Amino acid sequence: MKGKKLVPYSLCLLLTASGLSACATGTGSDTAQTQAKSGGDAKPIKLTFWSGVPAEAGPQQAVDNWNKQNPNIQVEYVRYVNDDAGNIKLDTALLTGQGVDLYATHNFPRFETRVKANVALDLGQFKDYNIDDMMGPEAADWKVDGKFYAMPTKKDLHFVWLNKDALDKAGLPVPYNWTWDDMRAYAKKLAEQKQWGMLQDLVTWDFVLDSPIAVEGAVKSDGTSNMDNPLTRKILENMHAMMYDDKSIPLYAEQLSKKMPVETEFLKGNSGMYYAGEWIFRFANNLKDNPRDFKIAIAPIPKVTKDQQNYRVFGGLGDAISINPQSKNIEAAWKFLKWYADGGMLPLAQGGRIPSSKAVNADESFKELLKGVEDKYDVDSVKKVLFSKDFKTFQSKLPQQMIDARKEQYQLYFTNNQTLDQMFSNLVKRHNEFLKQNKK
């Protein structure tokens, strides 16, 4: 990937490239009700459910449980890799009628694009389930034009994983109210133990930079770009200094070119901290493949400064599941989706996917999360962060084109191919051009 320009994501562009004339429209025929009512020797309805979660991390068990309980509606699970190539594979399947009935989207910009391409059903037509009520106020982050085209099904949160033993050796307490300067100091101190002070999952880099503008937005009141926000600048300065001055985190180019398996490195004890999220539980709880002799604690994502206003942490709810309007079995898909959200997905909890529905007891979910590995965690810090009411969350609403453009620019900065001032100058110029081109 090094040196390559990242291609902006667009379903309709994909359509054009595929030789298709327009985005999908309309709704599929409703054969589900007809078959369900026929009873007797009717063939079972078959649904296909796509998601980015590995089958062995819980989805297959959930689907197997459903299939045992519902012989008349059988579900097949299909995993796609949640990267650019994997999402294009899903989009192609949706747009060319390859039998996708339900699918999960794992970030909002991609989801919004799918809604605009008419490949997500408006769930408002179903009156037997109130998503706002069952999932809570954070579900609203997944609305498009005030409507639900997907049901967010899990609690979603980024946080900092900590090697508790390394912290104890360094005389550092498990942090809670802390800043990016504090995190830099922690990383520098932990690096003295001949390990990385901190590692960061590349998927989180963009969300880190979205946080400072989560409330006021990427566009200023005068209609111009806000992507050169001073708090964003401070985060980038800190990360650059940690690479080149402190040498407490890997060089960006090195991590990218070597495709560093950062979760494995952390679980081997080769880093004191790891900036990621709840999905890492599926690796950390798998002691057969990732044996470790240290306890893990977790801490919230730090504020940029102590006095930061509108502090937000990426998260809220995730794994937003949509029904394909072209499905021939919409009623059956809706029945499965409700079951899955209201507890059917519990087998995914040990992999960090805690159900967001109020139909599922939080203590039951937490017990499932750490089942059999309780002694490998600082349980108090894990529970405190995962169920904290001390910070608000956000979902990124930045258009995918600008996420790609920003990544292109910060890659040049982190590889010392341009200064920070040049980076922001180029980025703001690109953003203002984008805003002008897409002015309503």
Side-chain angles (χ1 to χ4, degrees):
M1 290 180 63
K2 184 180 177 183
K4 293 184 178 180
K5 183 176 180 179
L6 298 174
V7 180
Y9 176 85
S10 170
L11 274 176
C12 290
L13 183 60
L14 174 63
L15 275 172
T16 303
S18 303
L20 298 173
S21 60
C23 292
T25 58
T27 58
S29 60
D30 191 4
T31 62
Q33 285 183 309
T34 303
Q35 292 185 1
K37 290 177 181 178
S38 63
D41 297 325
K43 291 183 179 180
I45 294 168
K46 292 184 179 180
L47 299 174
T48 303
F49 170 37
W50 288 49
S51 170
V53 185
E56 66 274 12
Q60 191 60 57
Q61 184 60 58
V63 165
D64 289 346
N65 292 345
W66 165 272
N67 288 340
K68 289 176 184 177
Q69 299 170 25
N70 298 272
N72 294 328
I73 304 175
Q74 295 290 285
V75 179
E76 176 189 359
Y77 182 71
V78 178
R79 191 262 173 127
Y80 71 92
V81 179
N82 185 31
D83 59 12
D84 287 343
N87 277 282
I88 289 174
K89 181 179 179 181
L90 170 57
D91 294 333
T92 302
L94 286 167
L95 293 165
T96 56
Q98 296 179 33
V100 180
D101 295 290
L102 305 100
Y103 62 92
T105 304
H106 303 285
N107 73 53
F108 187 85
R110 290 191 189 278
F111 168 68
E112 186 175 34
T113 305
R114 287 170 178 152
V115 171
K116 292 178 179 179
N118 298 312
V119 292
L121 186 72
D122 178 3
L123 301 183
Q125 67 182 268
F126 302 109
K127 305 304 181 184
D128 61 335
Y129 194 97
N130 188 316
I131 297 176
D132 282 307
D133 181 53
M134 294 301 292
M135 301 300 169
E138 291 173 319
D141 286 340
W142 287 91
K143 287 182 177 179
V144 176
D145 296 329
K147 297 179 180 180
F148 281 114
Y149 293 87
M151 186 186 300
T153 57
K154 77 171 179 77
K155 294 185 180 296
D156 196 13
L157 191 66
H158 286 186
F159 48 83
V160 182
W161 294 72
L162 306 165
N163 181 325
K164 179 68 163 55
D165 294 17
L167 260 65
D168 291 344
K169 185 177 179 180
L172 297 170
V174 175
Y176 192 74
N177 292 309
W178 62 331
T179 67
W180 266 85
D181 285 341
D182 295 330
M183 187 163 68
R184 179 183 173 186
Y186 265 59
K188 190 173 183 178
K189 182 72 174 177
L190 289 165
E192 294 174 1
Q193 298 179 30
K194 296 183 179 179
Q195 61 181 357
W196 291 114
M198 187 179 79
L199 294 172
Q200 185 168 349
D201 200 310
L202 288 178
V203 75
T204 66
W205 287 61
D206 292 303
F207 303 122
V208 171
L209 302 179
D210 285 333
S211 177
I213 55 176
V215 176
E216 59 189 78
V219 182
K220 298 176 183 177
S221 58
D222 63 2
T224 61
S225 176
N226 189 34
M227 293 185 74
D228 58 347
N229 182 285
L231 295 180
T232 304
R233 175 181 288 269
K234 183 167 179 59
I235 290 175
L236 289 165
E237 287 174 335
N238 254 330
M239 294 171 75
H240 191 279
M242 291 167 76
M243 289 180 201
Y244 290 98
D245 298 339
D246 305 343
K247 296 179 173 55
S248 60
I249 67 175
L251 296 177
Y252 183 88
E254 179 183 354
Q255 182 173 339
L256 193 64
S257 63
K258 292 184 177 179
K259 298 181 179 179
M260 184 181 292
V262 284
E263 69 280 350
T264 302
E265 289 297 304
F266 173 74
L267 294 173
K268 284 181 177 179
N270 295 333
S271 178
M273 300 186 295
Y274 177 32
Y275 192 127
E278 85 291 333
W279 66 92
I280 300 302
F281 278 108
R282 80 169 185 254
F283 303 107
N285 289 348
N286 181 358
L287 299 179
K288 180 181 178 181
D289 295 333
N290 301 290
R292 56 184 166 87
D293 58 4
F294 62 90
K295 279 192 172 186
I296 287 175
I298 65 175
I301 300 301
K303 293 181 178 181
V304 183
T305 61
K306 287 184 179 180
D307 58 352
Q308 179 184 354
Q309 301 296 313
N310 296 323
Y311 165 64
R312 294 291 187 273
V313 173
F314 181 82
L317 305 183
D319 285 9
I321 300 178
S322 300
I323 295 174
N324 182 0
Q326 297 297 320
S327 171
K328 296 180 180 179
N329 299 294
I330 287 174
E331 290 292 336
W334 176 240
K335 182 177 181 181
F336 171 77
L337 177 51
K338 290 184 295 180
W339 171 87
Y340 179 90
D342 282 352
M345 64 172 292
L346 261 177
L348 284 75
Q350 194 161 36
R353 291 180 137 77
I354 297 175
S356 52
S357 171
K358 72 177 186 181
V360 184
N361 181 275
D363 289 335
E364 181 183 3
S365 296
F366 189 71
K367 183 178 179 180
E368 189 69 23
L369 173 68
L370 300 186
K371 185 170 66 177
V373 293
E374 297 90 343
D375 62 328
K376 293 294 184 180
Y377 289 92
D378 175 56
V379 175
D380 289 342
S381 70
V382 174
K383 195 167 189 177
K384 184 177 182 180
V385 172
L386 291 185
F387 296 98
S388 176
K389 302 295 184 183
D390 293 335
F391 46 81
K392 295 180 179 180
T393 59
F394 76 97
Q395 285 288 327
S396 176
K397 300 297 177 73
L398 191 66
Q400 189 67 38
Q401 296 96 316
M402 289 314 305
I403 292 175
D404 293 339
R406 180 176 60 190
K407 182 175 293 186
E408 184 180 305
Q409 292 301 318
Y410 72 61
Q411 285 177 339
L412 292 171
Y413 170 60
F414 284 136
T415 54
N416 282 341
N417 286 305
Q418 68 178 356
T419 66
L420 190 57
D421 286 340
Q422 289 171 328
M423 181 205 129
F424 278 122
S425 176
N426 292 335
L427 181 58
V428 168
K429 180 180 178 182
R430 289 274 295 274
H431 191 204
N432 284 333
E433 290 173 352
F434 174 83
L435 294 172
K436 187 178 296 184
Q437 292 168 3
N438 292 272
K439 191 173 183 179
K440 294 180 179 180

